[in-house]
Amino acid sequence: MNTSNNKNPNLILSVGTRIVTKTATKPIGGGEDCQAGIVGIVVTAPLDNTHAYRVRYANGFEAMIYRADMEILAEYQRNGLSLTQGPLKEYNLLDRVIYRCIVGSRAYGLDNEESDIDRRGIYLPPAEMHWSLYGVPEQLENQATEECYWEIQKFIVLALKANPNILECLYTPLIEEITPLAQELLDMREIFLSKLVYQTFNGYVLSQFQKMNRDLRNKGKVKPKHAMHLIRLLLSGTQVLREGFVPIEVSTFRDKLLAIRDELMDWDEVEEWRKQLHKDFDAAFKSTLLPDRPNYERANDFLIKARKMAAAE
């Protein structure tokens, strides 16, 4: 969950920000105090929070107010709807994980002794939480343990868009936990494969290589591990279009990929390989038997079934 900027004590609010006063304030020039809870707009901002803001109210009065005595209106309106508040704080959503797998270098066969264990998966929120004002987080993340679990609808939508990370979750052989419901999803995983793989994979790789070439010109270096995984993505995408499944383990190309990561391959050679792989990808796209679009109907039927299961608990 994102941390609100309103909670940052060092944030300097910009001119035009709408605020709500937290204490009674005295108008500039005198007069009756304005009660707490009045809406105003910042007309002059200080250089730091040791000085006051000049705020104008709807009635035309202005007052000097310190940052601690005001709240951003948008945040004020959202108060009470946070997942950390209300009756929903009792849920431990990690207990709702229905699928946990390992992806990344360890799944690809590109790991070494320093490689992290990247765990990904799906969670099914309680129906009560899903129906509530509070809603549910689209993903649960723990950066310290390299874990990320997507809410089931978010996961399915990303899979339908041919998101590479999500598709790899569906095809990795390294599964740590799976419920019967999640097994049903894996058993129908081919419904997510379509020609969208070409556009999604290709577009991402092109944009990232353009960025890396700019970094090479401007900074004289690139991130070799990132380059390795982009090449791997092109290899993977081509095989998806040709054979109708997502390859995970990359033993055939392991040595060449590691040469990129370990900076044993010249950048010109990396670029030449990339360009050839784009040609292979184009050719695979022309001849693929995959459908133009994924099977939205079956994906939707599965999601409705999952929602009904949550409601029946």
Side-chain angles (χ1 to χ4, degrees), residues 104-223:
S105 296
R106 292 186 182 274
Y108 308 143
L110 297 171
D111 57 302
N112 56 31
E113 62 278 3
E114 298 177 356
S115 297
D116 296 321
I117 299 178
D118 300 320
R119 290 184 171 88
R120 301 290 183 267
I122 307 168
Y123 85 95
L124 177 64
E128 177 184 352
M129 186 177 196
H130 185 250
W131 296 332
S132 73
L133 282 173
Y134 304 90
V136 295
E138 290 188 335
Q139 61 191 53
L140 311 174
E141 287 189 88
N142 186 334
Q143 294 183 351
T145 58
E146 298 292 332
E147 293 181 82
C148 180
Y149 304 99
W150 289 274
E151 193 275 326
I152 191 167
Q153 181 174 346
K154 181 67 173 181
F155 184 94
I156 289 172
V157 168
L158 289 173
L160 290 168
K161 293 179 178 180
N163 179 287
N165 295 326
I166 300 297
L167 294 181
E168 287 171 4
C169 287
L170 291 169
Y171 281 83
T172 179
L174 304 182
I175 298 173
E176 292 189 329
E177 179 180 348
I178 186 167
T179 66
L181 179 66
Q183 185 61 60
E184 285 188 42
L185 185 63
L186 260 63
D187 289 343
M188 54 186 269
R189 61 192 178 184
E190 72 280 354
I191 72 168
F192 298 107
L193 300 184
S194 72
K195 292 179 181 177
L196 284 179
V197 166
Y198 175 78
Q199 287 85 9
T200 302
F201 284 40
N202 220 4
Y204 179 71
V205 172
L206 279 172
S207 66
Q208 291 300 300
F209 261 93
Q210 287 172 353
K211 183 178 182 299
M212 283 194 290
N213 278 315
R214 286 197 301 270
D215 289 343
L216 193 62
R217 290 193 300 269
N218 298 330
K219 303 177 183 179
K221 61 180 180 179
V222 298
K223 296 178 179 179

Side-chain angles (χ1 to χ4, degrees), residues 6 39 65 119 129 148 232 285:
N6 191 43
V39 175
I65 308 176
R119 290 184 171 88
M129 186 177 196
C148 180
R232 182 196 58 77
F285 178 64

Side-chain angles (χ1 to χ4, degrees), residues 205-206 209 213 231 234 269-279:
V205 172
L206 279 172
F209 261 93
N213 278 315
I231 293 293
L234 282 176
E269 188 177 351
V270 175
E271 274 282 77
E272 284 302 313
W273 191 15
R274 177 186 69 83
K275 291 175 183 177
Q276 181 57 53
L277 290 177
H278 277 299
K279 293 179 182 178

Side-chain angles (χ1 to χ4, degrees), residues 227-259:
M228 174 189 73
H229 283 302
L230 290 172
I231 293 293
R232 182 196 58 77
L233 200 59
L234 282 176
L235 291 165
S236 174
T238 301
Q239 194 163 348
V240 172
L241 294 179
R242 285 176 175 166
E243 302 182 29
F245 75 93
V246 181
I248 302 298
E249 207 270 335
V250 293
S251 57
T252 304
F253 301 97
R254 184 176 187 274
D255 290 344
K256 289 186 69 175
L257 290 169
L258 291 180

